[in-house]
Amino acid sequence: MRLGIIGLSQAGKTTIFNALTRGDQPTSMSGGRFDVHTAVVDVPDPRVDKLSVMFHPQKTIYAKVTYADIAGLEGSASKSGISGQLLNQLTQMDGFVQVVRCFEDPNVPHPSGSLNPGRDIAAMESELLINDLIAVERKLERLNDERRKGGGRDKTIIEREITLFQKLNAALNEELPLRDLELSQDEEKALSGYGFLTRKPMLVLLNRSDGQKPPEIDYPHRHSAVTDLQGKLEMEIAQLPPDDAELFMAEYGIEELGLQRVIRLSYDLLGLQSFFTVGEDEVRAWTARCGATAHEAAGVIHTDLQKGFIRAEVIGYAELVDLGGLSEARSKGKLRLEGKDYLVQDGEIMHVRFNI
């Protein structure tokens, strides 16, 4: 899972990046410069901790998430759209964390002269919308040229694509992000390679100061969510040793680190879930889409398991913990044998039988 941290200049993107990744990137950077910092972090999961205690493996491996702190978007949409390296980075992301400034700081003036989170969200949304609109209009021009010239692809396919892109064009002209559209499976498949920015899930993160009440923000879009974070405070906590961090959290009444909440919301937005493999050599969490089949989940572990898939032994996390281990589950006949089309559930433990 790759999440791009975006936002206007001086919104605190790098502060949030450091808070989520326990990084120490300098936070005083000049606006307008294209720059990217990335970090891979473990997905906190108490179920993995419990399984590791049960099986005493040589290795314990958590699911991973990659955060990219992407500078260069300024909310000043250009008629030519986003170009070059910046667009290439944005299209590679699975979703975005949009950092919105809600804190006052006389030493770091807001580029627009005043705090207005709703205005800043609209400015960023406009930049992404205009970029997608330019890409859709260009595609429609090429499709219409192809239809007029003929002699190439099946006309029915071309007409179907024109209808789809006209639908996208209409939505963008109404200033609706493409994630709001209801699309069929065929339409989703047709668009999978385009990387439209407003189709990507969006987590709006309100970056507030210590003790500040977060503003009420209405962001009524599909595959979107709004949350808040005391960015500077969370960054300071993330950079402390674990014991000191616990004391700090207790002092400020913080029950859960922002990293955990942001990852959980991101998983929900992206339609992801975790399943586990366990043993004496390794306890490991894997990430799969919600609704993935056992065959697809096997491919997440290794392509050989998918190619030679025979059956999957499956048991739920809670049931395994209650029984005390795999041998107990097997002796009591609690391990289910499932075929290729079985839909894997969040938190299940899976062992793949295969033959190549």
Side-chain angles (χ1 to χ4, degrees), residues 273 288-297 340-345:
Q273 62 182 357
R289 66 177 182 85
C290 294
T293 64
H295 190 237
E296 291 170 331
K340 286 184 176 182
D341 296 330
Y342 172 73
L343 299 182
V344 176
Q345 303 300 306

Side-chain angles (χ1 to χ4, degrees), residues 205-332:
L205 197 159
L206 306 176
N207 186 13
R208 59 188 178 92
S209 56
D210 304 353
Q212 176 191 5
K213 184 179 179 181
E216 293 185 8
I217 295 294
D218 186 28
Y219 194 72
H221 299 293
R222 299 176 68 227
H223 306 298
S224 306
V226 179
T227 191
D228 63 275
L229 208 63
Q230 298 175 89
K232 186 178 179 182
L233 179 64
E234 292 255 1
M235 179 180 72
E236 292 171 354
I237 294 173
Q239 294 170 345
L240 290 173
D243 290 344
D244 292 344
E246 286 184 13
L247 293 173
F248 208 97
M249 289 173 65
E251 180 181 348
Y252 281 87
I254 300 174
E255 296 181 359
E256 180 184 44
L257 283 176
L259 168 66
Q260 297 168 340
R261 179 156 41 92
V262 170
I263 288 178
R264 187 170 63 249
L265 286 169
S266 301
Y267 261 56
D268 291 343
L269 284 175
L270 294 172
L272 299 175
Q273 62 182 357
S274 294
F275 70 96
F276 311 112
T277 53
V278 298
E280 294 180 357
D281 57 336
E282 179 182 282
V283 165
R284 183 163 184 165
W286 304 88
T287 301
R289 66 177 182 85
C290 294
T293 64
H295 190 237
E296 291 170 331
V300 172
I301 300 171
H302 199 286
T303 53
D304 284 350
L305 299 188
Q306 189 172 40
K307 290 176 183 177
F309 185 96
I310 301 173
R311 284 280 187 276
E313 289 184 324
V314 180
I315 187 171
Y317 165 80
E319 188 175 14
L320 179 68
V321 171
D322 288 343
L323 290 168
L326 277 180
S327 58
E328 292 84 354
R330 188 170 283 110
S331 67
K332 294 181 180 180

Side-chain angles (χ1 to χ4, degrees), residues 48-158:
V48 176
D49 300 331
K50 179 67 174 180
L51 291 170
S52 185
V53 170
M54 288 178 64
F55 289 91
H56 304 289
Q58 296 177 27
K59 293 189 294 182
T60 298
I61 302 175
Y62 295 82
K64 309 291 182 184
V65 57
T66 299
Y67 286 106
D69 176 15
I70 305 174
L73 280 173
E74 295 300 317
S76 52
S78 166
K79 291 183 179 180
S80 59
I82 304 165
S83 60
Q85 289 178 298
L86 177 56
L87 181 60
N88 183 51
Q89 285 288 335
L90 294 171
T91 56
Q92 291 179 38
M93 298 297 125
D94 297 312
F96 295 126
V97 177
Q98 181 185 167
V99 179
V100 181
R101 178 170 176 171
C102 300
F103 62 88
E104 292 278 10
D105 187 342
N107 297 317
V108 185
H110 193 292
S112 298
S114 64
L115 284 181
N116 188 329
R119 175 202 60 206
D120 293 351
I121 292 171
M124 182 59 61
E125 192 88 356
S126 178
E127 184 152 7
L128 302 179
L129 281 164
I130 288 177
N131 186 81
D132 282 356
L133 181 59
I134 291 169
V136 166
E137 288 177 341
R138 288 173 178 167
K139 178 63 176 180
L140 275 173
E141 288 176 5
R142 293 194 295 271
L143 287 169
N144 285 320
D145 285 345
E146 187 179 5
R147 177 173 60 183
R148 185 175 62 255
K149 293 175 182 177
R153 293 188 299 159
D154 188 306
K155 288 184 178 180
T156 303
I157 297 175
I158 296 172

